[in-house]
Amino acid sequence: MRKFLTMSVLALSVLALQAQNRYIVKTKGAKKVVTAQVQDGAEAAEEPEEEKDFLSQYFRYVSMCDWQDGMRFMVIPDKKDMVIKTFADASTGMMVSSSSLRHKIMIYRGHQNTGGLHERVDFECEDDGKRYYFEVPTAKFDDYCFGKLGVPTLAYLGDVDTAIELFKDKTLFTLADEYYVDTDVDGDGYRVLTDIPKNTEVKVVAVGVGTRNFPVKIIVADEQGNEFFQNVAISRTNSGLRDDEFEISNMIFHTFRGSFEMMGDDQAPSATYKRFIGTTVFTLQNTQMLNANGQKTNVARLSTFKIKSIRAQRGTEYVKMTLVGNGSGSEYTKEVTFNNKNMIGEPDKQDKNYFHDLFAQGNPATMEGVRKDNLKDVQRGLVRVGYTENEVRLALGKPSTTGQTQNQQTTWSYNYPGMPYTCIVFNPKTKKVVKILK
C-alpha cells in the first residue's frame, strides 16, 4: 500500500511538472547551464489608444479586487524577491524562500482576515498541493487591492494561455528597437539584439511565460529561421507597474503593440490589386527578385509566374508580392508599387518597380502567334523576318509610334532613349514582319 501511494504521488508530481514546463519556452540555441541570470530594468510603455481594441477584447485587465477563485499565476522571482520573501507556508506560518517556489503555479483561493494585523491572500500550489499565503502590507485587503502593486513574483497565466491560443503560428511584423535571444536553458540568461529591421515579417513559433512585469513571452522566427523573443505586458493584470510607468517611451517595446503588429487591414490586399492574386504574369524586363532563402536572384525577361499573394508594406506605397515560378514551382518575392509615379520626359524620376512596367498578364508560350522555336530570340529582344506582331511586341515592347508606308504596309517604330532606332514593317494581310529598318 505504501509503495502504491508513493508511486501515485510521483505520478502526480510528473503531471504537475509537465503542465508547468509547457509555459517555459526558449529560443533555439540556448545552452544547458546552472547559473541563472535575471533580466531586470525592463519596463513598459503606454500603447496608442486607437490600437487597444483587439487586445482589450481578449486581454482584460483584472484588478486584484476582482480576482476570482481559480485564477492561475506562476512564481517568477526577481532579484529583490530572493531577499524579500513573498509567501508563507499556510501550515506553519513560516516564510518560504522565493527560489524554492520558482516556476511553481499558484491558484488564487480568495482572501481572509485571520485576526492578525493584516489580511492575507490565499493560494494553493498546483505543483505540490500545499497552501501558501501572501500577507498584504495594509490592515485591510480592500485598501490594498485597488492599487497596482498586486502580489510580488506572480506572472498572470491567464494572459499567457490566451496568447498561446491567439498568437501561435501567426504572422507578425517587428516594431521594436531590441529583442532577445536565450543563452541558457535552465536560467534566465539572454542576449540583446538591436539589428532586427522594423517591419520584418516573422512567425510565432512558441508562446510561454516571461516575467512578472511582462508575463507573455513570444518567440518568433524570421524567414531564415532565426529565433528571438520579447516579453510583453498585455492586460497588465498583476504586473506591479503603475500606469505612468507604462508611459516611459523607452519601455514601449515591452507592450505587444510596441513590439509587434499583426496582419490587419493595412496588410491585406486592397481592391486595387487583389484581383491579381492567382493570375499568371510574365516579366517585361530583366529584374531581380528574392528567392526562398532571401538571396537576390536575376530573373530574365518573359519568365512566367503565378501570383501567390500580395501584402502591403506598413507605412509605404509598396506591396510584397510572392510569385511561384511556372514549371519550377520555386517561390520568389518582389516589392512593387501600383502607384504610377512615372513622369513623362523625366526617366530619372520613374519608379522602376511599377507593377505594370515589370509584368504583363498571361503566358508568352501560350499566346496566339507566339511560336516555341522563336521564344529564345524573343527573350533576347531579337526580331527576324516572318515574326508575328505578338512576337515583336514581346521582343521589343510597345512601339513609340505606328504608321503606314505608301503601299499600305504597317510600320512600328522604336525610338526610345537608350534604345537603337528600329522600324519594323509588317505585311498588312499576314501581319508578319517583311522588313527590319535600322
Side-chain angles (χ1 to χ4, degrees):
M1 183 66 178
R2 181 178 298 174
K3 182 177 180 180
F4 174 77
L5 289 174
T6 301
M7 294 299 293
S8 298
V9 171
L10 286 174
L12 289 173
S13 298
V14 170
L15 288 174
L17 185 61
Q18 289 175 340
Q20 163 189 314
N21 285 346
R22 77 184 181 92
Y23 291 108
I24 309 302
V25 294
K26 299 285 182 178
T27 53
K28 63 183 179 183
K31 301 186 183 304
K32 186 82 172 177
V33 295
V34 177
T35 304
Q37 301 173 25
V38 180
Q39 178 178 340
D40 58 4
E43 313 245 332
E46 180 70 285
E47 303 164 32
E49 189 68 33
E50 65 273 15
E51 295 182 324
K52 287 185 177 180
D53 291 343
F54 168 80
L55 297 180
S56 61
Q57 179 182 354
Y58 292 97
F59 298 90
R60 186 176 67 87
Y61 169 73
V62 184
S63 165
M64 192 175 176
C65 302
D66 299 321
W67 286 8
Q68 300 295 314
D69 185 89
M71 289 178 65
R72 299 166 72 245
F73 302 82
M74 181 175 283
V75 180
I76 307 288
D78 206 343
K79 285 181 178 179
K80 62 180 179 298
D81 301 316
M82 301 302 182
V83 178
I84 305 173
K85 297 176 182 178
T86 300
F87 295 99
D89 187 321
S91 63
T92 65
M94 300 295 292
M95 298 300 294
V96 180
S97 168
S98 294
S99 60
S100 67
L101 297 176
R102 183 173 183 265
H103 290 171
K104 284 185 167 52
I105 295 175
M106 295 291 190
I107 304 173
Y108 177 68
R109 295 304 186 197
H111 61 90
Q112 60 176 311
N113 189 327
T114 59
L117 294 176
H118 304 283
E119 293 191 38
R120 73 187 204 185
V121 183
D122 293 323
F123 294 92
E124 179 183 353
C125 181
E126 188 175 283
D127 300 285
D128 61 20
K130 296 174 65 174
R131 292 274 184 155
Y132 298 88
Y133 65 86
F134 165 71
E135 191 174 81
V136 298
T138 58
K140 292 184 178 181
F141 175 82
D142 290 342
D143 294 336
Y144 180 80
C145 70
F146 286 104
K148 296 287 186 177
L149 293 177
V151 178
T153 78
L154 294 186
Y156 179 45
L157 292 181
D159 280 1
V160 181
D161 289 331
T162 302
I164 290 173
E165 182 179 349
L166 289 180
F167 300 142
K168 185 69 187 300
D169 296 327
K170 290 293 190 296
T171 296
L172 304 176
F173 298 89
T174 60
L175 296 177
D177 294 324
E178 63 181 58
Y179 294 87
Y180 306 95
V181 174
D182 293 303
T183 56
D184 33 275
V185 172
D186 295 327
D188 297 322
Y190 64 92
R191 176 166 52 88
V192 180
L193 300 180
T194 58
D195 58 350
I196 306 297
K198 290 186 178 182
N199 300 316
T200 297
E201 182 176 329
V202 294
K203 182 178 180 179
V204 178
V205 296
V207 178
V209 71
T211 67
R212 184 264 174 109
N213 295 141
F214 316 115
V216 181
K217 179 177 182 178
I218 301 176
I219 299 178
V220 297
D222 61 19
E223 291 180 344
Q224 287 72 50
N226 300 310
E227 291 187 3
F228 46 93
F229 75 88
Q230 192 71 280
N231 292 329
V232 298
I234 308 183
S235 78
R236 304 173 187 176
T237 297
N238 200 56
S239 72
L241 296 175
R242 303 184 311 272
D243 289 343
D244 61 330
E245 291 177 285
F246 281 96
E247 296 173 2
I248 303 173
S249 60
N250 64 342
M251 306 300 182
I252 188 68
F253 50 84
H254 282 294
T255 63
F256 181 84
R257 290 297 189 188
S259 285
F260 301 108
E261 182 172 50
M262 297 188 72
M263 188 187 301
D265 291 338
D266 57 337
Q267 272 80 44
S270 71
T272 305
Y273 47 81
K274 189 174 183 179
R275 60 190 175 90
F276 292 98
I277 297 176
T279 62
T280 298
V281 295
F282 63 92
T283 52
L284 293 172
Q285 54 185 281
N286 297 333
T287 188
Q288 282 191 333
M289 297 184 185
L290 297 181
N291 63 19
N293 296 321
Q295 300 170 327
K296 288 184 178 180
T297 303
N298 293 321
V299 177
R301 294 178 65 251
L302 308 188
S303 297
T304 309
F305 301 89
K306 184 175 182 179
I307 299 177
K308 180 180 179 181
S309 65
I310 301 177
R311 184 172 299 148
Q313 299 300 285
R314 181 177 178 271
T316 75
E317 294 180 342
Y318 289 84
V319 299
K320 183 178 182 180
M321 183 178 294
T322 301
L323 308 103
V324 179
N326 186 39
S328 70
S330 300
E331 283 197 5
Y332 300 86
T333 57
K334 177 74 176 177
E335 286 195 4
V336 301
T337 179
F338 284 80
N339 183 13
N340 189 1
K341 298 179 180 178
N342 290 359
M343 300 181 69
I344 298 175
E346 298 186 69
D348 57 318
K349 293 186 179 180
Q350 293 180 357
D351 195 323
K352 296 180 180 179
N353 291 316
Y354 178 52
F355 174 83
H356 294 289
D357 287 344
L358 285 173
F359 299 97
Q361 288 189 286
N363 184 343
T366 61
M367 285 183 179
E368 183 180 355
V370 178
R371 291 157 291 185
K372 184 177 180 181
D373 292 343
N374 295 340
L375 272 177
K376 286 189 176 180
D377 280 346
V378 169
Q379 189 174 42
R380 294 162 56 198
L382 299 177
V383 173
R384 303 185 189 279
V385 172
Y387 276 22
T388 66
E389 289 183 345
N390 271 347
E391 288 172 333
V392 174
R393 188 177 288 106
L394 286 175
L396 301 179
K398 183 180 178 181
S400 53
T401 58
T402 60
Q404 286 184 328
T405 64
Q406 291 181 349
N407 56 0
Q408 304 303 309
Q409 291 177 316
T410 302
T411 61
W412 288 6
S413 297
Y414 293 85
N415 193 24
Y416 292 112
M419 179 180 179
Y421 172 79
T422 304
C423 180
I424 309 298
V425 182
F426 293 93
N427 182 305
K429 293 182 179 180
T430 65
K431 298 187 182 300
K432 292 183 177 179
V433 177
V434 294
K435 190 181 298 184
I436 302 172
L437 305 174
K438 295 187 176 181

